[in-house]
């Protein structure tokens, strides 16, 4: 009789049973998406295909992560186009496309929450309940797909940090890999929501990237005062008359606000361009 | 490229990969416990050993399910005795005994909750937060142990019903099997907490079982009014001067209160014998 005292060993034992006598061990990679795929999603699939022997992608516009006044119903959808894009990668073995009724049948009631400040800061302020919905759907997807590795985009950095913490806390043995944000030539981060932008708004939108790059430059030139950098970002954004949701500089592990930058810091911002809410971020690394 | 639209099929696909080329498929059974084992736990192991090819048992006194004024520190523990009992079954392949630090390291923050009335009724009234702690630890244990089947005791029926709902909602592909309560000769349900009882209290404790059996008899004799049955149970309990926490008759699926009994109903009760809180329940099935 084996006595096991830590989680990783327990999982190893469980897997050794599940995988007993298997000749070719597989590594399953997973990219969760809300569909309306773009090159950002495809870059996650390609990153996964390098590490994994099987790749799964989910397409599910998750109602639980949208607030009552958010864009759930108008969120863009095009399943045929998504499937074509995934076929073209030649790397996807499986696409998981559950219906909302399959995921949240009548009487659905179980939710995953994070009882600290991580979900209440940044996007959590203007989107209360958003991260509870994200954590819940990802817990459900992990239980359905059972991947070895999950690939997330750097653009949604708060989401990636919260999910990494959730996965650790709840003992999922899925490794999270955060991949670089894919951008348009003018720097705008790819996002399914970019399809909402009018041509004029599309011209304005790269200001978010430019303001963040300016902030990175300021830190490279020696600025360590977060308040000074934030003030300059806001000044630049206001020049282009976009509405600011938030601009913050935080600890990239805990998402707590940083006053003096040392080591690494995450500059995160959300703006409205017209009615479209866009987010982006940049990591600052300063040598002491 | 496979397209999958429902959870069960997704899990089947994932498992077919994990289990590919495996010659002897295993079924892993799991009994989660807080240790200080008794014949009730052993009956769960024995039930599992009939269905499963591998049996895992966890021993973990879960701090998250104890309230600030409850019996966490004095909860009985005897690991050597537990291990001996499990060895003697000759059916247990693996015992998972994590430390509290392994399960809830510093900064732990993720919790599973049920956003309906199931966790707020019965034991949830006098033990707020209890079922959140239970759901969280069981989610963590399921992610660690990855069992095919989990065996729970009928004595903790509210717990079993809530966990069954959580498992369904969060897409765990673990089957829950609820096994009959094991009792002393005088009817007292086995419980690790029975060790708290003084000899005199131990003599009083079976009144809970007797009151529930009386209620079953009343329903068999045609009584359908839940309020009448509850009143008689309370009267019987008060004769023995035990303190009543609750006596309720509820729907065994939703745990909503029943007024007129039809089909099946769950009579659930909690009492204090001295300082020791004891629970028990009985199922009524009436033909229409």
């Amino acid at each position: 009789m084996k006595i096991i005292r830590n989680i990783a060993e327990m999982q190893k034992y469980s897997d050794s049973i599940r995988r007993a006598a298997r000749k070719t061990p597989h590594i399953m990679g997973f990219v969760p998406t809300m569909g309306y795929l773009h090159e950002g999603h495809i870059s996650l699939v390609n990153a996964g295909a390098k590490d994994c022997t099987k790749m799964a992608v989910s397409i599910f516009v998750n109602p639980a992560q949208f607030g009552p006044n958010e864009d759930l119903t108008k969120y863009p959808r095009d399943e045929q186009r998504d499937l074509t894009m995934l076929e073209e990668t030649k790397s996807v073995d499986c696409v998981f496309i559950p219906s909302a009724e399959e995921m949240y049948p009548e009487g659905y009631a179980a939710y995953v929450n994070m009882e600290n400040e991580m979900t209440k800061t940044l996007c959590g302020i203007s989107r209360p309940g958003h991260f509870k919905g994200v954590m819940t759907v990802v817990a459900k997807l992990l239980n359905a797909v059972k991947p070895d590795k999950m690939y997330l985009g750097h653009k949604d950095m708060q989401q990636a940090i919260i999910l990494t913490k959730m996965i650790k806390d709840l003992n999922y043995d899925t490794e999270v890999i955060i991949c670089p944000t894919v951008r348009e030539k003018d720097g705008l981060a790819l996002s399914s929501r970019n399809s909402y932008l009018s041509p004029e708004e599309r011209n304005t939108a790269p200001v978010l990237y430019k303001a963040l790059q300016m902030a990175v430059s300021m830190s490279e030139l020696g600025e360590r005062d977060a308040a000074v950098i934030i003030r300059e970002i806001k000044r630049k954004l206001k020049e282009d008359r976009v509405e600011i949701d938030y601009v913050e500089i935080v600890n990239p592990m805990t998402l707590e606000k940083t006053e003096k930058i040392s080591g690494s810091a995450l500059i995160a911002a959300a703006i409205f361009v017209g009615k479209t809410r866009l987010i982006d971020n940049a990591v600052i690394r300063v040598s002491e």
Side-chain angles (χ1 to χ4, degrees), chain A residues 3-142:
Chain A
I3 297 173
I4 300 175
R5 290 180 194 271
N6 71 72
I7 292 159
E9 198 191 333
M10 181 66 232
Q11 290 172 327
K12 214 167 148 186
Y13 175 77
S14 182
D15 284 355
S16 75
I17 288 173
R18 289 178 178 270
R19 296 174 188 198
R22 204 175 58 189
K23 282 166 191 163
T24 322
H26 280 294
I27 299 169
M28 192 195 260
F30 175 49
V31 179
T33 85
M34 298 214 299
Y36 214 73
L37 302 178
H38 51 64
E39 286 304 315
H41 299 107
I42 301 303
S43 76
L44 300 178
V45 171
N46 291 337
K50 281 184 192 159
D51 299 341
C52 303
T53 57
K54 297 274 176 185
M55 282 301 296
V57 175
S58 67
I59 299 176
F60 180 60
V61 182
N62 174 34
Q65 74 189 65
F66 287 80
N69 300 315
E70 292 182 357
D71 56 344
L72 172 62
T73 52
K74 71 165 188 168
Y75 195 85
R77 289 160 169 91
D78 190 339
E79 189 177 299
Q80 271 316 310
R81 181 171 154 279
D82 289 345
L83 291 175
T84 304
M85 286 179 75
L86 293 176
E87 281 284 15
E88 281 169 358
T89 67
K90 296 188 167 60
S91 300
V92 178
D93 296 280
C94 168
V95 189
F96 180 44
I97 316 178
S99 67
E101 294 68 33
E102 171 79 4
M103 291 289 270
Y104 301 104
E106 205 186 318
Y108 186 92
Y111 291 90
V112 179
N113 224 329
M114 188 68 76
E115 298 192 359
N116 63 14
E117 296 305 307
M118 292 174 92
T119 61
K120 292 172 196 143
T121 184
L122 306 178
C123 289
I125 296 170
S126 58
R127 305 191 73 187
H130 171 65
F131 290 111
K132 183 175 80 174
V134 169
M135 286 188 287
T136 300
V137 80
V138 171
K140 286 171 64 69
L141 290 169
L142 291 176

Side-chain angles (χ1 to χ4, degrees), chain A residues 3-284:
Chain A
I3 297 173
I4 300 175
R5 290 180 194 271
N6 71 72
I7 292 159
E9 198 191 333
M10 181 66 232
Q11 290 172 327
K12 214 167 148 186
Y13 175 77
S14 182
D15 284 355
S16 75
I17 288 173
R18 289 178 178 270
R19 296 174 188 198
R22 204 175 58 189
K23 282 166 191 163
T24 322
H26 280 294
I27 299 169
M28 192 195 260
F30 175 49
V31 179
T33 85
M34 298 214 299
Y36 214 73
L37 302 178
H38 51 64
E39 286 304 315
H41 299 107
I42 301 303
S43 76
L44 300 178
V45 171
N46 291 337
K50 281 184 192 159
D51 299 341
C52 303
T53 57
K54 297 274 176 185
M55 282 301 296
V57 175
S58 67
I59 299 176
F60 180 60
V61 182
N62 174 34
Q65 74 189 65
F66 287 80
N69 300 315
E70 292 182 357
D71 56 344
L72 172 62
T73 52
K74 71 165 188 168
Y75 195 85
R77 289 160 169 91
D78 190 339
E79 189 177 299
Q80 271 316 310
R81 181 171 154 279
D82 289 345
L83 291 175
T84 304
M85 286 179 75
L86 293 176
E87 281 284 15
E88 281 169 358
T89 67
K90 296 188 167 60
S91 300
V92 178
D93 296 280
C94 168
V95 189
F96 180 44
I97 316 178
S99 67
E101 294 68 33
E102 171 79 4
M103 291 289 270
Y104 301 104
E106 205 186 318
Y108 186 92
Y111 291 90
V112 179
N113 224 329
M114 188 68 76
E115 298 192 359
N116 63 14
E117 296 305 307
M118 292 174 92
T119 61
K120 292 172 196 143
T121 184
L122 306 178
C123 289
I125 296 170
S126 58
R127 305 191 73 187
H130 171 65
F131 290 111
K132 183 175 80 174
V134 169
M135 286 188 287
T136 300
V137 80
V138 171
K140 286 171 64 69
L141 290 169
L142 291 176
N143 289 342
V145 177
K146 302 180 186 176
D148 299 292
K149 294 167 186 274
M150 178 167 70
Y151 295 82
L152 300 175
H154 197 294
K155 197 206 73 176
D156 300 298
M157 193 60 172
Q158 184 178 13
Q159 171 173 287
I161 291 165
I162 288 169
L163 289 175
T164 302
K165 168 79 172 146
M166 178 197 84
I167 282 168
K168 176 172 167 283
D169 275 8
L170 292 185
N171 303 357
Y172 286 101
D173 58 352
T174 299
E175 184 187 355
V176 176
I177 291 126
I178 302 175
C179 298
T181 303
V182 178
R183 299 179 181 281
E184 302 281 5
K185 278 187 182 144
D186 59 10
L188 177 64
L190 295 195
S191 166
S192 307
R193 288 191 170 95
N194 292 351
S195 65
Y196 297 152
L197 298 168
S198 71
E200 194 188 345
E201 289 167 349
R202 175 64 190 78
N203 283 338
T204 303
V207 67
L208 180 54
Y209 173 71
K210 284 169 189 154
L212 291 168
Q213 284 312 107
M214 179 200 68
V216 171
S217 299
M218 286 175 74
S219 75
E220 284 168 357
L221 292 169
E223 184 57 64
R224 295 289 176 268
D225 187 331
V228 170
I229 295 176
I230 290 169
R231 193 174 61 223
E232 286 307 308
I233 296 172
K234 288 185 174 175
R235 192 201 308 270
K236 181 146 181 68
L237 291 171
K238 280 174 190 161
E239 277 173 14
D240 277 86
R241 297 199 200 90
V242 299
E243 190 193 328
I244 296 168
D245 181 0
Y246 67 80
V247 178
E248 297 290 359
I249 301 182
V250 298
N251 178 313
M253 296 295 285
T254 63
L255 299 177
E256 284 166 354
K257 284 177 193 174
T258 296
E259 288 186 13
K260 290 285 169 200
I261 298 164
S262 73
S264 70
L266 177 71
I267 322 176
I271 62 172
F272 285 90
V273 180
K275 288 183 174 175
T276 303
R277 189 171 176 281
L278 300 176
I279 63 173
D280 204 348
N281 64 75
V283 171
I284 302 174

